[in-house]
Amino acid sequence: MFRIIKSTVALFVAGSFLMNAQNTLPVYLDDSKPIEDRVEDALSRMTVDEKVAMVHAQSKFSSAGVPSLGIPDFWMTDGPHGIRPEVLWDEWDQAGWTNDSCIAFPALTCLAATWNPEISLLYGRSIGEEARYRNKNVLLGPGVNIYRTPLNGRNFEYMGEDPFLASKMVVPYVIGVQENGVAACVKHFALNNQETFRHEVNVNVDDRALYEIYLPAFKAAVQEGKTWTIMGAYNKYKGQHCCHNEYLLNDILRGEWGFDGVVVADWGGVHDTREAITNGLDMEFGTWTDGLSWGESNAYDNYYLAKPYLHLIKTGQVGTKELDEKVRRILRLAFRTNMDRNRPFGSFGTQEHALASRKIAHEGIVLLQNNNNVLPIDLNKANKIAVIGENAIKMMTVGGGSSSLKVKYEVLPLDGIKNRVGDKAEVVYARGYVGDASGEYNGVVSGQNLADNRSPEELLKEAVEVAKSADYVIFIGGLNKSDYQDSEGADRLGLELPYNQDQVIREIAKVNKNMVYVNISGNAVAMPWVKEVPAIVQGWFLGTEAGNALADVLVGNVNPSGKLPFSFPVKLTDNAAPCCG
């Protein structure tokens, strides 16, 4: 805020007054001036130490502002499906806040399946409002890496296999987020298509494939969406790590596309000081961590762009030209985000956002098969509906790696179906299989205890008996967000369903012909029983309103209008890139 003290204009920021002897605001504080003038004025007032402090992290998710100039710190948050709960300053452990429970939006595979740019704009605006309310400068998403293999553990975070579709969907998402004064950070640039050996793999691809398949969505985000930040990838390309890759960052991103924003390193993605200086990186985060779990405590001054960089400057081994360019871009980010006094206030955990999440889920659910018109379920003819499968009762907002969320609430599929059916029919449940009974991922605790000590044979017998007596069977299975499924850090081990689900599905199909299989996943799965199960629905990871959205589709209140953003191969060898690593 502004105060007049003895006719001298001052600005009160971060507990200190900034005075100007000429009774005028410095150019960098005068938001009537063009941003570039403000950037240059602020840069001219900074010391080398202050500049170096801006280009690397000071905590797990923040980097330094400029206290002497009243420029606040920069705060990042993981997306892209919801705002990550707060962690401790220097630990991955949860900070224990009681007011950081977010609304979870559907995974980006679901968003891509809507094929609807207006829905993408709604998504971006809604999640941007949540990020802004939590006072984040940068939302670490969306992801637009191309779906190259159905084994990639992070495919659920991306927008599918088609570069044209991803390009059309990423632009409104970016615009929507940035309307809130929060930078979208489009990731992971580039060629980041597997989790196995993600720090070591050197991707070999010719220029035509690079430009026609892997880069279009990033280019659209930069040139049409005007994204303010880009995140580098873990992998190598042309022998250089992508977070400081000269060809990707200097030649293409800045040179060919004219990107004027900030390149942020993925957590643990920086490996060399000199390359980081010269090859286009601006902000270094997460060095000496795998980006998810382990790390060194209070190591920030030893980052590649911290003391090692300062030492090279002070000993005359490198100049400050590159440093000034980095700081210019970071200052530009500040004036676009938390130094913009017209930045809206945002909102968090609201009913409006929950309804937006439900609408996105509605439009993304895909009807894959509906033989004999089993769907929609006719509640006037159904006396008993059997719901079978662990995914009907397992929270899916928790898990998956850095996108794991602490949600305000999550409607489970079984509960959503019960709520929608009401007293029109009896809804009975059988577990069918036990997959992952745990409920803690990445420090987020679901509070669920799904332990079940029954044998697979006992579980199968119960499921078959329940299915026999029902008018309809809804089997809710697929993948979850555990390791080696839809999860960061490791790729899937195969295309088949885990936990003996195929056998359970086949045995149920033998005793009930009104069977619906709902596949919860962000990846394609093998369906060897496809001719035995009449109705198949792709249900994705649907977020806070998952159960209600699924129920709306299953009983016919909402038309399942989604389209697949990637192919479902019959078997893994049908895929062009059948395996990872």
Side-chain angles (χ1 to χ4, degrees):
M1 60 182 175
F2 293 94
R3 293 183 178 180
I4 305 299
I5 303 176
K6 295 182 179 179
S7 300
T8 302
V9 180
L11 179 68
F12 180 72
V13 177
S16 62
F17 285 97
L18 299 174
M19 311 296 291
N20 186 287
Q22 285 74 42
N23 294 336
T24 60
L25 287 171
V27 173
Y28 84 92
L29 292 176
D30 185 354
D31 56 12
S32 68
K33 298 290 184 180
I35 281 182
E36 295 310 308
D37 291 348
R38 301 171 71 195
V39 166
E40 293 303 318
D41 186 57
L43 184 68
S44 70
R45 300 167 189 268
M46 293 176 63
T47 67
V48 171
D49 289 72
E50 287 173 329
K51 293 174 183 178
V52 171
M54 289 191 85
V55 300
H56 65 86
Q58 63 177 359
S59 76
K60 292 297 184 190
F61 282 97
S62 75
S63 60
V66 190
S68 66
L69 299 181
I71 297 175
D73 294 344
F74 296 83
W75 283 92
M76 318 287 174
T77 183
D78 272 315
H81 312 131
I83 308 307
R84 181 175 180 148
E86 299 295 332
V87 299
L88 298 174
W89 180 268
D90 189 48
E91 304 291 339
W92 291 108
D93 294 338
Q94 298 297 295
W97 287 23
T98 58
N99 60 350
D100 59 346
S101 297
C102 70
I103 294 297
F105 298 91
L108 291 189
T109 43
C110 178
L111 174 61
T114 70
W115 288 26
N116 187 341
E118 292 182 4
I119 288 292
S120 186
L121 182 62
L122 172 67
Y123 197 126
R125 282 174 173 165
S126 301
I127 198 170
E129 287 170 355
E130 298 241 333
R132 168 62 187 100
Y133 187 89
R134 292 266 298 278
N135 201 27
K136 307 301 183 183
N137 293 72
V138 179
L139 175 72
L140 302 174
V144 292
N145 294 109
I146 292 298
Y147 187 113
R148 177 176 175 269
T149 166
L151 300 188
N152 183 4
R154 291 187 86 171
N155 276 336
F156 73 98
E157 295 186 49
Y158 304 142
M159 294 189 180
E161 70 185 6
D162 186 83
F164 180 80
L165 175 63
S167 298
K168 291 300 181 184
M169 296 301 290
V170 70
V171 170
Y173 183 113
V174 169
I175 291 171
V177 170
Q178 293 185 169
E179 284 179 357
N180 294 281
V182 176
C185 190
V186 183
K187 63 185 187 182
H188 306 88
F189 190 66
L191 300 162
N192 185 223
N193 306 106
Q194 65 184 68
E195 289 299 284
T196 303
F197 305 122
R198 64 181 183 175
H199 292 270
E200 295 86 21
V201 64
N202 183 40
V203 179
N204 294 309
V205 61
D206 63 26
D207 280 354
R208 181 176 180 182
L210 178 70
Y211 277 88
E212 293 184 3
I213 298 174
Y214 297 102
L215 294 186
F218 289 103
K219 183 178 181 180
V222 169
Q223 295 191 332
E224 299 174 48
K226 308 297 183 184
T227 186
W228 295 335
T229 62
I230 288 279
M231 180 185 284
Y234 281 132
N235 52 283
K236 297 177 184 178
Y237 171 60
K238 293 183 180 290
Q240 283 185 332
H241 280 95
C242 291
C243 285
H244 35 83
N245 187 287
E246 182 176 18
Y247 186 61
L248 288 176
L249 301 181
N250 287 342
D251 295 350
I252 296 177
L253 182 63
R254 301 199 194 282
E256 295 180 20
W257 299 349
F259 179 62
D260 69 351
V262 171
V263 173
V264 178
D266 202 347
W267 271 234
V270 180
H271 301 270
D272 184 90
T273 295
R274 290 184 180 270
E275 284 190 4
I277 291 171
T278 60
N279 291 354
L281 178 67
D282 297 313
M283 302 179 85
E284 177 186 5
F285 281 85
T287 294
W288 299 306
T289 170
D290 63 0
L292 183 61
S293 56
W294 56 267
E296 293 194 18
S297 180
N298 288 302
Y300 309 105
D301 286 342
N302 296 319
Y303 276 19
Y304 292 103
L305 288 182
K307 284 183 177 179
Y309 191 6
L310 196 59
H311 173 75
L312 291 177
I313 293 172
K314 291 188 173 180
T315 58
Q317 298 181 60
V318 299
T320 58
K321 177 184 177 182
E322 294 90 354
L323 178 62
D324 285 348
E325 285 300 311
K326 297 177 193 299
V327 174
R328 280 189 179 95
R329 292 188 284 262
I330 296 170
L331 288 169
R332 191 176 294 130
L333 176 64
F335 293 130
R336 285 168 166 170
T337 58
N338 61 8
M339 290 290 284
D340 177 7
R341 70 172 179 173
N342 297 314
R343 192 183 188 208
F345 290 102
S347 55
F348 188 71
T350 64
Q351 182 182 17
E352 181 183 16
H353 290 165
L355 291 175
S357 177
R358 188 168 177 173
K359 181 176 178 63
I360 296 161
H362 281 160
E363 293 216 15
I365 294 171
V366 184
L367 179 63
L368 297 179
Q369 180 168 286
N370 191 24
N371 297 332
N372 304 324
N373 293 319
V374 171
L375 289 174
I377 292 172
D378 188 345
L379 295 181
N380 294 318
K381 297 180 180 179
N383 293 313
K384 180 184 289 188
I385 298 171
V387 178
I388 299 173
E390 181 178 278
N391 282 0
I393 61 170
K394 184 174 177 61
M395 288 182 67
M396 291 296 178
T397 56
V398 178
S402 58
S403 62
S404 184
L405 298 173
K406 183 170 80 173
V407 292
K408 192 170 184 179
Y409 70 92
E410 178 178 351
V411 180
L412 300 171
L414 177 60
D415 294 330
I417 292 167
K418 286 182 175 179
N419 293 339
R420 181 61 190 82
V421 171
D423 59 3
K424 294 182 179 180
E426 179 186 4
V427 178
V428 294
Y429 174 73
R431 183 73 172 263
Y433 68 93
V434 175
D436 186 352
S438 62
E440 181 175 354
Y441 303 91
N442 200 23
V444 182
V445 180
S446 70
Q448 288 189 302
N449 180 4
L450 301 181
D452 193 323
N453 295 322
R454 288 178 291 172
S455 68
E457 292 75 18
E458 291 175 298
L459 292 164
L460 176 59
K461 181 179 179 181
E462 179 196 46
V464 170
E465 289 302 315
V466 167
K468 281 180 180 178
S469 61
D471 298 297
Y472 290 91
V473 174
I474 305 171
F475 187 98
I476 301 178
L479 307 179
N480 56 38
K481 291 186 177 179
S482 304
D483 290 344
Y484 302 105
Q485 295 199 44
D486 279 324
S487 184
E488 180 181 359
D491 291 313
R492 295 170 64 195
L493 302 178
L495 190 64
E496 64 277 0
L497 289 174
Y499 314 128
N500 197 39
Q501 290 180 72
D502 288 333
Q503 182 186 2
V504 180
I505 292 167
R506 279 187 152 140
E507 293 301 317
I508 292 172
K510 291 177 182 178
V511 300
N512 195 311
K513 299 305 178 184
N514 289 329
M515 181 179 181
V516 182
Y517 171 70
V518 178
N519 187 60
I520 305 297
S521 78
N523 258 310
V525 299
M527 298 181 181
W529 32 260
V530 65
K531 294 181 180 180
E532 303 163 44
V533 176
I536 302 174
V537 173
Q538 177 59 30
W540 313 112
F541 299 112
L542 296 176
T544 280
E545 284 283 319
N548 288 333
L550 272 175
D552 289 339
V553 167
L554 293 173
V555 302
N557 296 130
V558 171
N559 180 47
S561 57
K563 298 94 175 169
L564 288 179
F566 53 77
S567 304
F568 270 63
V570 173
K571 55 186 181 300
L572 189 58
T573 52
D574 292 338
N575 197 73
C579 60
C580 301

